[in-house]
Amino acid sequence: MEDIVKKFDHLYKVISNEDFLSKKSLGGEIPFFISAYDPKQQSKLTGAIKGLKNKLETGGIPLLELNLYDLSLES
């Protein structure tokens, strides 16, 4: 599995990219990003997710985090 630091650096670059935020090449769709991970890395990913959210929000990029697992349990 890809190094978590590299993965989250890549996620930040994609999500904070002006083309992504302005919906270029998305056909007018709402920009979103789904990233799969190995469940064994959950404890490490929790901190990485918080760090990514803080970095984006500090940069003025609004976001909404949806946990598909939690949503599936609510149904």
Side-chain angles (χ1 to χ4, degrees):
M1 181 126 211
E2 187 178 3
D3 177 24
I4 292 173
V5 173
K6 288 181 184 178
K7 183 174 194 146
F8 277 81
D9 283 344
H10 174 72
L11 285 171
Y12 178 77
K13 288 175 186 173
V14 170
I15 295 170
S16 64
N17 183 288
E18 188 58 39
D19 287 345
F20 182 84
L21 294 171
S22 63
K23 304 177 192 174
K24 289 183 181 174
S25 302
L26 295 176
E29 297 292 325
I30 296 172
F32 67 93
F33 201 92
I34 296 174
S35 182
Y37 63 90
D38 184 343
K40 294 175 192 168
Q41 295 182 313
Q42 180 63 48
S43 61
K44 294 177 183 178
L45 286 169
T46 300
I49 291 168
K50 286 180 185 179
L52 178 61
K53 286 172 55 178
N54 287 338
K55 192 173 181 180
L56 290 166
E57 289 172 345
T58 300
I61 300 170
L63 61 100
L64 172 64
E65 176 189 5
L66 298 173
N67 184 312
L68 298 178
Y69 177 76
D70 290 341
L71 288 173
S72 67
L73 292 178
E74 292 176 7
S75 308

Coordinates of all heavy atoms in Angstrom, one line a residue:
M1 N 0.8 -1.2 0.0 CA 0.0 0.0 0.0 C 0.9 1.2 0.0 O 1.9 1.3 0.6 CB -0.9 0.0 1.2 CG -1.8 1.2 1.3 SD -3.5 0.6 1.5 CE -4.4 1.8 0.8
E2 N 0.4 2.2 -0.7 CA 1.1 3.5 -0.8 C 1.4 4.1 0.5 O 0.6 4.0 1.4 CB 0.2 4.4 -1.7 CG 0.8 5.7 -2.1 CD -0.1 6.5 -3.0 OE1 -1.2 6.1 -3.3 OE2 0.3 7.6 -3.4
D3 N 2.5 4.8 0.7 CA 2.9 5.5 1.9 C 1.8 6.5 2.2 O 1.4 7.3 1.3 CB 4.2 6.2 1.7 CG 4.7 7.0 2.9 OD1 4.2 6.7 4.0 OD2 5.5 7.9 2.7
I4 N 1.3 6.6 3.4 CA 0.2 7.5 3.8 C 0.6 8.9 3.6 O -0.2 9.7 3.1 CB -0.2 7.2 5.3 CG1 -0.8 5.9 5.4 CG2 -1.2 8.3 5.8 CD1 -1.1 5.4 6.8
V5 N 1.8 9.3 3.9 CA 2.2 10.7 3.7 C 2.1 11.1 2.3 O 1.6 12.2 1.9 CB 3.6 11.0 4.3 CG1 4.1 12.4 4.0 CG2 3.6 10.7 5.8
K6 N 2.7 10.2 1.4 CA 2.6 10.5 -0.1 C 1.2 10.6 -0.6 O 0.8 11.4 -1.4 CB 3.4 9.4 -0.8 CG 4.9 9.5 -0.7 CD 5.6 8.4 -1.5 CE 7.1 8.5 -1.2 NZ 7.7 7.4 -2.0
K7 N 0.3 9.7 -0.1 CA -1.1 9.6 -0.5 C -1.8 10.9 -0.1 O -2.5 11.5 -0.9 CB -1.8 8.4 0.1 CG -3.2 8.2 -0.3 CD -3.8 7.0 0.2 CE -5.1 6.6 -0.5 NZ -5.3 5.2 -0.7
F8 N -1.6 11.4 1.1 CA -2.3 12.6 1.5 C -1.7 13.8 0.9 O -2.4 14.8 0.7 CB -2.4 12.6 3.0 CG -3.5 11.8 3.5 CD1 -3.4 10.5 3.7 CD2 -4.7 12.4 3.8 CE1 -4.5 9.7 4.1 CE2 -5.8 11.7 4.2 CZ -5.7 10.3 4.4
D9 N -0.4 13.8 0.6 CA 0.2 14.9 -0.2 C -0.5 15.0 -1.6 O -0.8 16.1 -2.1 CB 1.7 14.8 -0.3 CG 2.5 15.2 0.9 OD1 1.9 15.8 1.8 OD2 3.7 14.8 1.0
H10 N -0.6 13.8 -2.2 CA -1.3 13.8 -3.5 C -2.7 14.2 -3.4 O -3.2 15.0 -4.2 CB -1.2 12.4 -4.0 CG -2.0 12.2 -5.3 ND1 -1.6 12.7 -6.5 CD2 -3.2 11.6 -5.5 CE1 -2.5 12.4 -7.4 NE2 -3.5 11.7 -6.9
L11 N -3.5 13.8 -2.4 CA -4.9 14.2 -2.2 C -4.9 15.7 -2.0 O -5.8 16.4 -2.6 CB -5.5 13.5 -0.9 CG -5.8 12.1 -1.1 CD1 -6.2 11.5 0.3 CD2 -6.9 11.9 -2.1
Y12 N -4.0 16.3 -1.3 CA -4.1 17.7 -1.1 C -3.8 18.5 -2.4 O -4.5 19.4 -2.7 CB -3.0 18.2 -0.1 CG -3.0 19.7 0.1 CD1 -4.0 20.3 0.8 CD2 -2.0 20.4 -0.5 CE1 -4.0 21.7 0.9 CE2 -2.0 21.8 -0.4 CZ -3.0 22.5 0.3 OH -3.0 23.8 0.4
K13 N -2.9 18.0 -3.2 CA -2.6 18.6 -4.5 C -3.8 18.5 -5.4 O -4.1 19.5 -6.1 CB -1.3 18.0 -5.1 CG -0.1 18.3 -4.4 CD 1.1 17.6 -5.0 CE 2.4 17.9 -4.2 NZ 3.5 17.1 -4.6
V14 N -4.4 17.4 -5.4 CA -5.6 17.2 -6.3 C -6.8 18.1 -5.9 O -7.4 18.9 -6.6 CB -6.1 15.8 -6.4 CG1 -7.4 15.6 -7.1 CG2 -5.0 14.9 -7.1
I15 N -7.1 18.0 -4.6 CA -8.3 18.7 -4.1 C -8.1 20.2 -4.0 O -9.0 21.0 -4.3 CB -8.6 18.2 -2.6 CG1 -9.0 16.8 -2.7 CG2 -9.7 19.1 -2.0 CD1 -9.2 16.1 -1.4
S16 N -6.8 20.7 -3.8 CA -6.6 22.2 -3.8 C -6.3 22.8 -5.1 O -6.2 24.0 -5.3 CB -5.4 22.5 -2.8 OG -4.2 21.9 -3.3
N17 N -6.2 21.9 -6.2 CA -5.9 22.4 -7.5 C -7.1 23.3 -8.0 O -8.2 22.9 -7.9 CB -5.7 21.2 -8.4 CG -5.4 21.6 -9.8 OD1 -6.2 22.1 -10.6 ND2 -4.1 21.4 -10.2
E18 N -6.7 24.4 -8.6 CA -7.8 25.3 -9.1 C -8.7 24.7 -10.1 O -9.9 25.0 -10.2 CB -7.1 26.6 -9.7 CG -8.0 27.7 -10.0 CD -8.9 28.2 -8.9 OE1 -8.4 28.3 -7.7 OE2 -10.1 28.4 -9.1
D19 N -8.2 23.9 -11.0 CA -9.0 23.2 -12.0 C -10.0 22.3 -11.3 O -11.2 22.3 -11.7 CB -8.2 22.4 -13.0 CG -7.4 23.2 -13.9 OD1 -7.7 24.4 -14.1 OD2 -6.4 22.6 -14.6
F20 N -9.7 21.6 -10.3 CA -10.6 20.8 -9.5 C -11.6 21.6 -8.9 O -12.8 21.3 -8.9 CB -9.8 20.0 -8.5 CG -10.7 19.0 -7.7 CD1 -11.0 17.7 -8.2 CD2 -11.1 19.3 -6.4 CE1 -11.7 16.8 -7.4 CE2 -11.9 18.5 -5.7 CZ -12.2 17.2 -6.2
L21 N -11.2 22.7 -8.2 CA -12.1 23.6 -7.5 C -13.1 24.3 -8.4 O -14.2 24.6 -8.0 CB -11.4 24.5 -6.6 CG -10.6 23.9 -5.5 CD1 -9.7 24.9 -4.8 CD2 -11.5 23.2 -4.5
S22 N -12.6 24.7 -9.6 CA -13.5 25.4 -10.5 C -14.3 24.5 -11.5 O -14.9 24.9 -12.4 CB -12.6 26.4 -11.3 OG -11.7 25.7 -12.2
K23 N -14.2 23.2 -11.2 CA -14.9 22.2 -11.9 C -14.5 22.0 -13.4 O -15.3 21.6 -14.2 CB -16.4 22.4 -11.8 CG -16.9 22.5 -10.4 CD -18.4 22.8 -10.4 CE -18.9 23.1 -9.0 NZ -20.2 23.6 -9.0
K24 N -13.3 22.4 -13.8 CA -12.9 22.3 -15.1 C -12.7 20.8 -15.4 O -12.2 20.0 -14.6 CB -11.6 23.0 -15.4 CG -11.7 24.5 -15.4 CD -10.4 25.2 -15.7 CE -10.6 26.7 -15.7 NZ -9.3 27.4 -15.8
S25 N -13.0 20.4 -16.6 CA -12.9 19.0 -17.0 C -13.8 18.0 -16.2 O -13.6 16.8 -16.2 CB -11.5 18.5 -16.9 OG -10.6 19.3 -17.7
L26 N -14.8 18.6 -15.5 CA -15.7 17.7 -14.7 C -17.1 17.7 -15.3 O -18.0 17.1 -14.7 CB -15.7 18.2 -13.2 CG -14.4 18.1 -12.4 CD1 -14.7 18.7 -11.0 CD2 -14.0 16.7 -12.3
G27 N -17.3 18.4 -16.4 CA -18.6 18.4 -17.0 C -19.6 19.1 -16.1 O -20.8 18.8 -16.2
G28 N -19.2 20.1 -15.3 CA -20.1 20.8 -14.4 C -20.5 20.0 -13.1 O -21.3 20.5 -12.4
E29 N -20.0 18.9 -12.9 CA -20.3 18.1 -11.8 C -19.7 18.6 -10.5 O -18.7 19.4 -10.6 CB -19.8 16.6 -12.0 CG -20.5 15.9 -13.1 CD -21.9 15.6 -12.9 OE1 -22.3 15.3 -11.7 OE2 -22.7 15.7 -13.8
I30 N -20.2 18.3 -9.4 CA -19.7 18.7 -8.1 C -18.4 18.0 -7.9 O -18.3 16.8 -8.0 CB -20.6 18.4 -6.9 CG1 -21.9 19.3 -7.1 CG2 -20.0 18.7 -5.6 CD1 -23.0 18.9 -6.2
P31 N -17.3 18.7 -7.6 CA -16.0 18.0 -7.4 C -16.0 17.2 -6.1 O -16.4 17.7 -5.0 CB -15.0 19.1 -7.3 CG -15.7 20.3 -6.9 CD -17.1 20.1 -7.4
F32 N -15.5 16.0 -6.2 CA -15.4 15.1 -5.0 C -14.2 14.2 -5.2 O -13.8 14.0 -6.4 CB -16.7 14.4 -4.7 CG -17.1 13.3 -5.7 CD1 -16.7 12.0 -5.5 CD2 -17.9 13.7 -6.8 CE1 -17.1 11.1 -6.4 CE2 -18.2 12.7 -7.7 CZ -17.8 11.4 -7.5
F33 N -13.8 13.6 -4.2 CA -12.7 12.6 -4.3 C -12.9 11.5 -3.3 O -13.2 11.7 -2.1 CB -11.4 13.4 -3.9 CG -10.1 12.7 -4.5 CD1 -9.6 13.0 -5.7 CD2 -9.5 11.7 -3.7 CE1 -8.5 12.4 -6.2 CE2 -8.4 11.1 -4.2 CZ -7.9 11.4 -5.5
I34 N -12.8 10.3 -3.8 CA -13.0 9.1 -3.0 C -11.6 8.4 -2.9 O -11.0 8.2 -4.0 CB -14.0 8.1 -3.5 CG1 -15.4 8.8 -3.5 CG2 -14.0 6.8 -2.7 CD1 -16.5 8.0 -4.1
S35 N -11.2 8.0 -1.8 CA -9.9 7.3 -1.7 C -10.0 6.1 -0.8 O -10.5 6.2 0.3 CB -8.9 8.3 -1.0 OG -7.6 7.6 -1.0
A36 N -9.7 5.0 -1.4 CA -9.7 3.7 -0.6 C -8.4 3.5 0.2 O -7.4 4.1 -0.1 CB -9.9 2.5 -1.6
Y37 N -8.5 2.7 1.2 CA -7.4 2.4 2.0 C -7.5 1.1 2.7 O -8.6 0.5 2.8 CB -7.2 3.5 3.1 CG -8.3 3.6 4.1 CD1 -8.3 2.9 5.3 CD2 -9.4 4.5 3.8 CE1 -9.3 3.0 6.2 CE2 -10.4 4.6 4.7 CZ -10.4 3.8 5.9 OH -11.4 3.9 6.8
D38 N -6.4 0.6 3.2 CA -6.4 -0.7 3.9 C -6.9 -0.5 5.3 O -6.3 0.4 6.0 CB -4.9 -1.2 3.9 CG -4.8 -2.6 4.6 OD1 -5.7 -3.0 5.3 OD2 -3.7 -3.2 4.3
P39 N -7.9 -1.2 5.7 CA -8.5 -0.9 7.1 C -7.5 -1.1 8.2 O -7.6 -0.6 9.3 CB -9.6 -2.0 7.2 CG -9.9 -2.3 5.8 CD -8.7 -2.1 5.0
K40 N -6.4 -1.8 8.0 CA -5.3 -2.0 9.0 C -4.7 -0.7 9.3 O -4.0 -0.5 10.3 CB -4.3 -3.0 8.5 CG -4.8 -4.4 8.3 CD -3.8 -5.3 7.8 CE -4.4 -6.6 7.3 NZ -3.4 -7.4 6.5
Q41 N -4.8 0.3 8.4 CA -4.1 1.6 8.6 C -5.1 2.6 9.2 O -4.8 3.8 9.2 CB -3.6 2.1 7.3 CG -2.5 1.3 6.7 CD -2.0 1.8 5.4 OE1 -2.8 2.2 4.5 NE2 -0.7 1.9 5.3
Q42 N -6.2 2.2 9.7 CA -7.2 3.2 10.2 C -6.7 4.1 11.2 O -7.0 5.3 11.1 CB -8.5 2.4 10.7 CG -9.6 3.3 11.3 CD -10.2 4.2 10.2 OE1 -10.5 3.7 9.2 NE2 -10.3 5.5 10.5
S43 N -6.0 3.6 12.2 CA -5.5 4.5 13.2 C -4.6 5.6 12.7 O -4.6 6.8 13.1 CB -4.8 3.7 14.3 OG -3.7 3.1 13.8
K44 N -3.7 5.3 11.7 CA -2.8 6.2 11.1 C -3.6 7.2 10.2 O -3.3 8.4 10.2 CB -1.7 5.6 10.3 CG -0.8 4.7 11.0 CD 0.2 4.0 10.1 CE 1.1 3.1 10.9 NZ 2.1 2.4 10.0
L45 N -4.6 6.7 9.6 CA -5.4 7.5 8.6 C -6.3 8.5 9.4 O -6.5 9.6 8.8 CB -6.3 6.7 7.7 CG -5.5 5.9 6.7 CD1 -6.3 4.9 6.0 CD2 -4.9 6.9 5.7
T46 N -6.7 8.2 10.5 CA -7.6 9.2 11.3 C -6.8 10.5 11.5 O -7.4 11.6 11.2 CB -8.0 8.6 12.6 OG1 -8.7 7.4 12.4 CG2 -8.8 9.5 13.4
G47 N -5.6 10.5 11.9 CA -4.8 11.7 12.0 C -4.5 12.3 10.7 O -4.5 13.6 10.6
A48 N -4.2 11.5 9.7 CA -3.9 12.1 8.4 C -5.2 12.8 7.8 O -5.0 13.9 7.2 CB -3.5 11.0 7.4
I49 N -6.3 12.3 8.0 CA -7.6 12.9 7.5 C -7.8 14.2 8.2 O -8.1 15.2 7.6 CB -8.8 11.9 7.7 CG1 -8.7 10.7 6.8 CG2 -10.1 12.7 7.5 CD1 -9.6 9.6 7.1
K50 N -7.6 14.2 9.5 CA -7.8 15.5 10.3 C -6.8 16.5 9.8 O -7.1 17.7 9.6 CB -7.6 15.3 11.8 CG -8.8 14.6 12.4 CD -8.5 14.3 13.9 CE -9.7 13.6 14.5 NZ -9.4 13.3 16.0
G51 N -5.5 16.1 9.6 CA -4.5 17.0 9.1 C -4.9 17.6 7.7 O -4.7 18.8 7.4
L52 N -5.4 16.7 6.8 CA -5.8 17.2 5.5 C -6.9 18.2 5.5 O -6.9 19.2 4.9 CB -6.1 16.0 4.6 CG -6.6 16.3 3.2 CD1 -5.6 17.0 2.4 CD2 -7.1 15.0 2.5
K53 N -7.9 17.8 6.4 CA -9.1 18.7 6.5 C -8.6 20.1 7.0 O -9.0 21.1 6.5 CB -10.1 18.1 7.5 CG -10.9 17.0 6.9 CD -11.7 16.3 7.9 CE -12.7 17.2 8.7 NZ -13.5 16.5 9.6
N54 N -7.7 20.1 8.1 CA -7.3 21.4 8.6 C -6.5 22.2 7.6 O -6.6 23.4 7.5 CB -6.4 21.1 9.8 CG -7.2 20.7 11.0 OD1 -8.4 20.9 11.1 ND2 -6.5 20.0 12.0
K55 N -5.6 21.5 6.8 CA -4.8 22.2 5.8 C -5.7 22.8 4.7 O -5.5 23.9 4.3 CB -3.8 21.1 5.2 CG -2.8 21.7 4.3 CD -1.8 20.6 3.9 CE -0.7 21.2 3.1 NZ 0.3 20.1 2.7
L56 N -6.7 22.1 4.3 CA -7.6 22.6 3.3 C -8.4 23.8 3.8 O -8.6 24.8 3.2 CB -8.6 21.5 2.8 CG -7.9 20.4 1.9 CD1 -8.8 19.2 1.7 CD2 -7.5 21.0 0.5
E57 N -9.0 23.6 5.0 CA -9.8 24.7 5.6 C -9.0 25.9 5.9 O -9.4 27.0 5.7 CB -10.5 24.2 6.9 CG -11.6 23.2 6.5 CD -12.2 22.5 7.8 OE1 -11.6 22.5 8.8 OE2 -13.3 21.9 7.6
T58 N -7.7 25.7 6.4 CA -6.8 26.8 6.6 C -6.5 27.6 5.3 O -6.4 28.8 5.3 CB -5.5 26.4 7.2 OG1 -5.8 25.7 8.5 CG2 -4.5 27.5 7.5
G59 N -6.5 26.9 4.2 CA -6.3 27.4 2.9 C -7.5 28.0 2.3 O -7.5 28.5 1.1
G60 N -8.6 28.0 3.0 CA -9.9 28.7 2.6 C -10.7 27.8 1.7 O -11.6 28.2 0.9
I61 N -10.5 26.5 1.7 CA -11.2 25.5 0.8 C -12.2 24.8 1.7 O -11.9 24.0 2.6 CB -10.2 24.5 0.2 CG1 -9.2 25.2 -0.7 CG2 -11.0 23.5 -0.6 CD1 -8.1 24.3 -1.1
P62 N -13.5 25.1 1.5 CA -14.6 24.5 2.2 C -14.7 23.0 1.8 O -14.5 22.7 0.7 CB -15.8 25.3 1.9 CG -15.5 25.9 0.5 CD -14.1 26.1 0.5
L63 N -15.0 22.2 2.8 CA -15.2 20.8 2.4 C -16.2 20.1 3.3 O -16.6 20.6 4.4 CB -13.9 20.0 2.6 CG -13.2 20.0 4.0 CD1 -13.4 18.7 4.7 CD2 -11.7 20.3 3.8
L64 N -16.7 19.0 2.9 CA -17.6 18.1 3.6 C -17.1 16.7 3.6 O -16.8 16.2 2.5 CB -19.0 18.2 3.0 CG -20.0 17.2 3.5 CD1 -20.4 17.6 5.0 CD2 -21.3 17.2 2.7
E65 N -16.8 16.2 4.8 CA -16.3 14.8 4.9 C -17.5 13.9 5.1 O -18.3 14.1 6.0 CB -15.3 14.7 6.0 CG -14.9 13.3 6.2 CD -14.1 13.1 7.5 OE1 -14.0 14.0 8.3 OE2 -13.6 11.9 7.7
L66 N -17.6 12.9 4.2 CA -18.7 11.9 4.4 C -18.0 10.5 4.6 O -17.2 10.1 3.8 CB -19.6 11.8 3.1 CG -20.3 13.1 2.8 CD1 -21.0 12.9 1.4 CD2 -21.3 13.4 3.9
N67 N -18.4 9.9 5.7 CA -17.8 8.6 6.0 C -18.9 7.6 5.5 O -19.9 7.4 6.0 CB -17.6 8.4 7.5 CG -16.9 7.1 7.8 OD1 -17.4 6.0 7.3 ND2 -15.9 7.2 8.6
L68 N -18.5 6.9 4.4 CA -19.5 6.0 3.7 C -19.8 4.8 4.7 O -21.0 4.3 4.7 CB -18.9 5.4 2.4 CG -18.7 6.5 1.4 CD1 -18.1 5.9 0.1 CD2 -20.0 7.3 1.0
Y69 N -18.9 4.4 5.5 CA -19.2 3.3 6.5 C -20.3 3.8 7.5 O -21.2 3.1 7.7 CB -17.9 2.9 7.2 CG -18.1 1.8 8.2 CD1 -18.3 0.5 7.9 CD2 -18.1 2.2 9.6 CE1 -18.6 -0.4 8.9 CE2 -18.4 1.2 10.6 CZ -18.6 -0.1 10.2 OH -18.8 -1.0 11.2
D70 N -20.1 5.0 8.0 CA -21.0 5.5 9.0 C -22.4 5.7 8.3 O -23.4 5.4 8.9 CB -20.6 6.8 9.6 CG -19.4 6.6 10.5 OD1 -19.2 5.5 11.0 OD2 -18.7 7.6 10.8
L71 N -22.4 6.2 7.1 CA -23.7 6.4 6.4 C -24.4 5.1 6.1 O -25.6 5.0 6.2 CB -23.4 7.1 5.1 CG -23.1 8.6 5.2 CD1 -22.7 9.1 3.8 CD2 -24.2 9.4 5.7
S72 N -23.6 4.0 5.8 CA -24.3 2.7 5.6 C -24.9 2.1 6.8 O -25.9 1.4 6.8 CB -23.3 1.7 4.9 OG -22.3 1.4 5.9
L73 N -24.3 2.4 8.0 CA -24.8 1.9 9.3 C -26.1 2.7 9.6 O -27.0 2.1 10.3 CB -23.8 2.1 10.4 CG -22.6 1.2 10.3 CD1 -21.6 1.5 11.5 CD2 -22.9 -0.3 10.3
E74 N -26.3 3.9 9.2 CA -27.5 4.7 9.5 C -28.7 4.2 8.7 O -29.8 4.5 9.2 CB -27.2 6.2 9.2 CG -26.2 6.8 10.1 CD -25.9 8.2 9.8 OE1 -26.6 8.8 8.9 OE2 -25.0 8.8 10.4
S75 N -28.5 3.6 7.6 CA -29.6 3.2 6.8 C -30.5 2.1 7.4 O -30.2 1.2 8.0 CB -29.1 2.6 5.4 OG -28.2 3.5 4.8

